[in-house]
Amino acid sequence: MAERLRITQSALSQQISKLEQELGVQLFDRTRRRVSLTDAGRSLREEGSIALKQLTLAVDMAKRAAQGHVGRLTIGFADAAALNVPPTLTSEFARRYPGVNLILHEMISAEQVEVLRAGQIQIGLLRPVFDNEDFETALLLREPYVVAISEIHRLATSEVIRLTELADQGLITTHRIKARYVHGNFQPYLKRAGIHLKVVQEVNELRAILGLVAGGLGIALFPQSITRLHLEGVVYRPLHPNDTPMAEMLIAKRADDRAATVMRFMDMAKKSYRPGRCRDHVAGKRRHPIRRVEPFGGKDRHCGYPSCSLSDISFHSPVSRKCSSMSR
């Protein structure tokens, strides 16, 4: 034993004697012919072996946690984000880091700001309804708005819709605090068009709004991602490019939060959503900036307006029905 420890036999004997004195028990039976473990010695060896293995595991887990491979990550997301960003990001993150427990909470953007500041969530997927002083942010998605209308509406077959054509329409929207971002975006466009949209219904659930639209009770304005949500009796029509603001989706974290899991999620999100520009989708002669989203493997390539799929290309532009120049 002394040779394996690379110490002298006398030094080893002194260490064992010192340990026995500290524990107050005899660990070895010593005779002239042999040395053997006592019951106390055998118990210490067995339990000590388990403790050493647990210590090794604890050290390994600590190192993995420091690298962002294990732990817990709490994410807040706006309901509109659920149509595009979270499913892709969270599933890929879970695949890469199966040791991280992802906890998702749906909440409006304003609420996310408060709980993010309070440290109750670590990541927010939200609208830009705050100043950036407390947060580190990145733009994930920028997309135009569309009009959701009943399939029997007089505008249902329109190629594009001008805001002035909606002047006599009732607007179905979410409750005021949730709709603040959309209303703020559209206010200058409505003012320029010289119209005011009368709110006829306020509900919070997206499907409830679409159900009222299908029933012909009014129209609704949504970011284009809503077109992924299909409901019988509802059609989506693009607004004229001069009549639509752009809806933005951000990822945000507290500026002082340097947790490895948080940083890995932020880095993955930033690398997964890249800006691009499409030459075919032009309004008049003015090109519009887009974001091309190629989540993990490039299976979902977008052109024209952001967040569209190839099957949506004919939907977006009154000028071009085919995109031959996706930025690469």
Side-chain angles (χ1 to χ4, degrees):
M1 176 66 74
E3 292 180 1
R4 287 199 309 180
L5 296 175
R6 296 184 179 181
I7 59 176
T8 64
Q9 183 62 50
S10 61
L12 176 60
S13 298
Q14 290 175 5
Q15 291 292 328
I16 293 173
S17 178
K18 184 178 179 181
L19 178 60
E20 289 177 325
Q21 291 176 11
E22 289 181 358
L23 298 178
V25 298
Q26 184 177 340
L27 300 176
F28 292 91
D29 281 327
R30 300 172 180 85
T31 66
R32 288 180 177 272
R33 295 186 177 180
R34 69 188 188 92
V35 177
S36 61
L37 286 169
T38 63
D39 288 343
R42 281 190 291 273
S43 177
L44 180 63
R45 182 182 64 181
E46 292 171 1
E47 297 300 325
S49 177
I50 295 173
L52 286 174
K53 290 178 181 178
Q54 188 62 39
L55 177 60
T56 301
L57 177 61
V59 170
D60 180 64
M61 291 293 286
K63 290 180 178 179
R64 294 183 65 201
Q67 297 168 353
H69 291 284
V70 296
R72 169 176 169 167
L73 185 62
T74 307
I75 302 170
F77 66 94
D79 57 359
L83 296 172
N84 43 47
V85 179
T88 303
L89 280 180
T90 55
S91 62
E92 179 62 17
F93 189 86
R95 186 189 68 79
R96 294 186 188 185
Y97 308 105
V100 178
N101 182 23
L102 294 178
I103 302 172
L104 304 177
H105 298 284
E106 181 187 338
M107 57 186 73
I108 64 174
S109 296
E111 185 182 359
Q112 285 190 61
V113 173
E114 296 305 316
V115 296
L116 195 56
R117 284 198 176 107
Q120 296 173 3
I121 63 173
Q122 297 164 282
I123 292 286
L125 300 171
L126 69 171
R127 302 299 186 189
V129 294
F130 56 91
D131 58 50
N132 291 346
E133 293 180 2
D134 299 331
F135 304 119
E136 177 185 330
T137 66
L139 178 65
L140 295 184
L141 189 66
R142 196 167 186 264
E143 58 183 342
Y145 286 83
V146 298
V147 185
I149 53 180
S150 168
E151 64 180 1
I152 60 173
H153 193 281
R154 61 178 175 80
L155 297 175
T157 57
S158 298
E159 193 76 18
V160 292
I161 294 177
R162 300 302 304 251
L163 281 177
T164 51
E165 295 179 277
L166 303 176
D168 60 344
Q169 301 297 305
L171 181 65
I172 303 172
T173 184
T174 56
H175 291 300
R176 188 175 301 273
I177 187 170
K178 188 175 181 179
R180 185 171 57 186
Y181 176 73
V182 176
H183 290 176
N185 270 355
F186 269 97
Q187 195 57 42
Y189 290 84
L190 294 172
K191 184 177 180 180
R192 186 175 63 192
I195 66 171
H196 173 75
L197 295 180
K198 180 182 178 181
V199 176
V200 294
Q201 298 287 340
E202 288 186 352
V203 292
N204 268 342
E205 297 297 328
L206 295 182
R207 286 191 176 273
I209 294 176
L210 292 176
L212 295 176
V213 168
L217 298 182
I219 59 102
L221 299 170
F222 287 110
Q224 185 193 305
S225 298
I226 193 67
T227 58
R228 298 186 177 189
L229 191 59
H230 302 288
L231 189 71
E232 185 176 355
V234 176
V235 295
Y236 304 101
R237 290 293 174 261
L239 284 165
H240 189 278
N242 291 337
D243 287 348
T244 177
M246 301 298 284
E248 295 182 341
M249 183 64 64
L250 306 181
I251 182 171
K253 75 172 190 66
R254 293 196 319 277
D256 61 353
D257 188 351
R258 309 302 295 177
T261 50
V262 173
M263 299 305 296
R264 284 189 180 277
F265 194 89
M266 286 286 291
D267 289 344
M268 191 181 73
K270 292 176 183 178
K271 292 175 182 177
S272 301
Y273 292 83
R274 306 183 185 95
R277 186 178 293 274
C278 172
R279 292 191 297 273
D280 283 348
H281 287 199
V282 179
K285 294 185 178 180
R286 185 182 65 182
R287 296 177 181 175
H288 55 267
I290 69 167
R291 290 186 70 78
R292 177 169 61 90
V293 182
E294 290 189 22
F296 319 112
K299 294 182 180 179
D300 189 13
R301 294 191 174 183
H302 300 271
C303 65
Y305 291 120
S307 80
C308 69
S309 63
L310 293 180
S311 62
D312 294 328
I313 291 176
S314 64
F315 170 86
H316 299 301
S317 175
V319 177
S320 172
R321 288 185 171 272
K322 182 179 180 181
C323 178
S324 59
S325 57
M326 278 192 298
S327 58
R328 301 188 181 276

